[in-house]
């Protein structure tokens, strides 16, 4: 089992939790050879951290610990109601039926390992727990508006609550908003949906559909998501709804001007990405005639348009070259997939009218339109960087040939960064304990 090896980052968060709440061994803790490491009832401390690291346990640590006041779904339901009251944009998405779905979850049991991890995520006012609440609320709104069955709604809301618990196993440095990940570092963050799925499979008896939903929350219907570029009919319906909720929740959490319009644009800019039904009900619920994007320009948008246009065309040329001259089926297929996604981005860029607006010049446009143009550019740039990361992820997983070296020019154009640095072993801190097995297991 993956979780018989202690992850230093998850253990670190549990030890931090023990500084403010009582966390203790619910049973004796043994290593794989039968040596007793920690007695039942003994509180978690830094000493436990020293004893457990670099050891394999007879039973996953998360299944052997208990925390006083562990979060239950009754707490989550109450927190969701308070979260809605504090966030007017979330209140637009939920209706009476959605509130009913949330309240119906109050008596749903949560497996103890998940309660432990959720409590640790909630500690110290973590934004990750608030994001989980937003995902639950938005998923309830989607399920209610699309008339999901009570069974499907319950599976969806459980998945929404735990969908990011895989991040507990990632170096927190990689999760900071201020840190721009290089393509070579992306694999560590990209593994978290798969880690979450394995967490559910190995440590709980929850239905496999919950784990699949968690695994797919960063996938996209056009195959542009991660970690496994699952698309089309292979993408679970509930997972596609959670993907919408996850994206919208992240944008609304910023609380900046025009957040509702920004969320709607992000869902619609590439129509092939998200479930159309879920997008329709969310964007309709968010719609308000008084919303505005804001009027603060973000630099010279004309220069940004030209730079994005240049990188996109150069990337398409690199992809076309690999399709024609690639030495392996993997290179040709990967380049073909990348080219198809770039064509979708190009089509989306043209459909927004950004290129026409650029020809008019900023002096002939109002601030509201400039703000919208900047948002369009930002969305396109983010998707190009995401494609660069996914290409790096796929190439690095190959065991034959040097696909990463062959794809480097394409990745460089998409990411706009130094791929030599991104592919260097020094790009990842030596102390990082990656859940690599989870990333490969997908």
């Amino acid at each position: 089992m993956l979780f018989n090896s202690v992850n230093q980052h998850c253990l670190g968060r549990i030890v931090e939790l023990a500084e403010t709440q009582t966390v203790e061994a619910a049973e004796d803790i043994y290593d794989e050879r039968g040596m007793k490491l920690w007695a039942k009832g003994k509180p978690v401390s830094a000493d436990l951290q020293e004893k457990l690291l670099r050891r394999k346990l007879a039973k996953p640590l998360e299944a052997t610990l208990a925390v006083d006041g562990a979060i239950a779904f009754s707490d989550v339901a109450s927190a969701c109601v308070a979260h809605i009251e504090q966030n007017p944009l979330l209140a637009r998405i939920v209706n009476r039926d959605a509130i009913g779905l949330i309240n119906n979850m109050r008596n749903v049991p949560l497996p103890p390992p998940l309660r432990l991890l959720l409590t640790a995520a909630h500690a110290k006012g973590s934004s990750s727990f608030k994001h989980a609440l937003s995902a639950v609320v938005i998923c309830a709104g989607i399920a209610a508006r699309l008339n999901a069955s009570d069974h499907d709604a319950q599976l969806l809301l459980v998945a929404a609550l735990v969908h990011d618990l895989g991040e507990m196993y990632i170096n927190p440095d990689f999760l900071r908003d201020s840190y721009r990940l290089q393509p070579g570092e992306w694999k560590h963050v990209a593994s978290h949906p798969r880690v979450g799925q394995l967490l559910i499979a190995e440590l709980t008896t929850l239905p496999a559909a919950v784990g699949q939903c968690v695994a797919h929350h960063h996938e996209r219907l056009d195959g542009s998501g991660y970690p496994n570029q699952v698309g089309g009919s292979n993408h679970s319906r509930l997972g596609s709804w959670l993907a919408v909720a996850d994206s919208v929740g992240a944008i609304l959490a910023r609380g900046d001007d025009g957040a509702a319009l920004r969320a709607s644009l992000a869902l619609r800019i590439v129509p092939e990405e998200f479930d159309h039904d879920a997008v329709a009900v969310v964007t309709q619920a968010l719609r308000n005639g008084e919303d505005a994007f804001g009027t603060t320009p973000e630099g010279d948008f004309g220069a940004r348009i030209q730079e994005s246009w240049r990188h996109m065309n150069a990337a398409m040329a690199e992809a076309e070259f690999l399709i024609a001259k690639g030495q392996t089926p993997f290179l040709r297929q990967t380049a073909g997939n990348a080219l198809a996604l770039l064509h979708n981005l190009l089509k989306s860029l043209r459909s927004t009218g950004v290129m026409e607006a650029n020809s008019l010049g900023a002096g002939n446009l109002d601030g509201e339109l400039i703000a919208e143009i900047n948002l369009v550019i930002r969305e396109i740039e983010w998707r190009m960087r995401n494609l660069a990361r996914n290409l790096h992820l796929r190439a690095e997983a190959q065991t034959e040939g040097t696909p990463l070296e062959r794809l480097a020019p394409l990745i460089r154009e998409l990411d706009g960064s130094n791929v030599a640095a991104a592919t260097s072993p020094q790009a990842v801190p030596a102390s990082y304990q990656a859940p690599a097995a989870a990333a490969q297991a997908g």
Side-chain angles (χ1 to χ4, degrees), residues 96-265:
R96 182 179 300 176
D97 291 337
I99 297 295
L101 290 176
I102 293 172
N103 283 324
N104 287 344
M105 301 296 292
R106 289 183 180 274
N107 295 321
V108 173
L110 279 172
L114 300 188
R115 295 183 67 188
L116 169 70
L117 296 177
L118 284 167
T119 307
H122 183 40
K124 298 187 177 180
S126 170
S127 61
S128 64
F129 186 72
K130 290 183 179 178
H131 175 66
L133 296 180
S134 294
V136 171
V137 168
I138 297 168
C139 280
I142 293 172
R145 292 173 185 275
L146 293 180
N147 299 314
S149 68
D150 289 344
H151 175 72
D152 281 355
Q154 180 172 313
L155 294 179
L156 178 63
L157 268 57
V158 171
L161 177 62
V162 303
H163 75 278
D164 272 341
L165 285 184
E167 290 185 350
M168 298 279 288
Y169 299 81
I170 296 173
N171 186 335
D173 289 343
F174 292 156
L175 300 175
R176 294 195 177 100
D177 291 339
S178 59
Y179 185 83
R180 173 165 172 165
L181 288 164
Q182 297 290 342
E185 298 169 325
W186 179 238
K187 63 183 177 184
H188 304 295
V189 174
S191 69
H192 84 265
R194 177 60 175 159
V195 174
Q197 182 184 30
L198 290 172
L199 179 69
I200 290 166
E202 295 189 8
L203 301 185
T204 82
T205 58
L206 290 172
V210 174
Q212 185 182 47
C213 192
V214 169
H216 287 175
H217 78 271
H218 279 299
E219 302 289 0
R220 298 292 180 260
L221 294 178
D222 63 354
S224 65
Y226 65 86
N228 294 315
Q229 294 80 56
V230 175
S233 61
N234 293 320
H235 201 300
S236 68
R237 181 175 64 111
L238 296 182
S240 69
W241 292 3
L242 179 54
V244 170
D246 177 67
S247 297
V248 171
I251 295 172
L252 298 187
R254 298 170 193 162
D256 51 8
D257 291 340
L261 292 177
R262 289 171 183 261
S264 296
L265 190 148

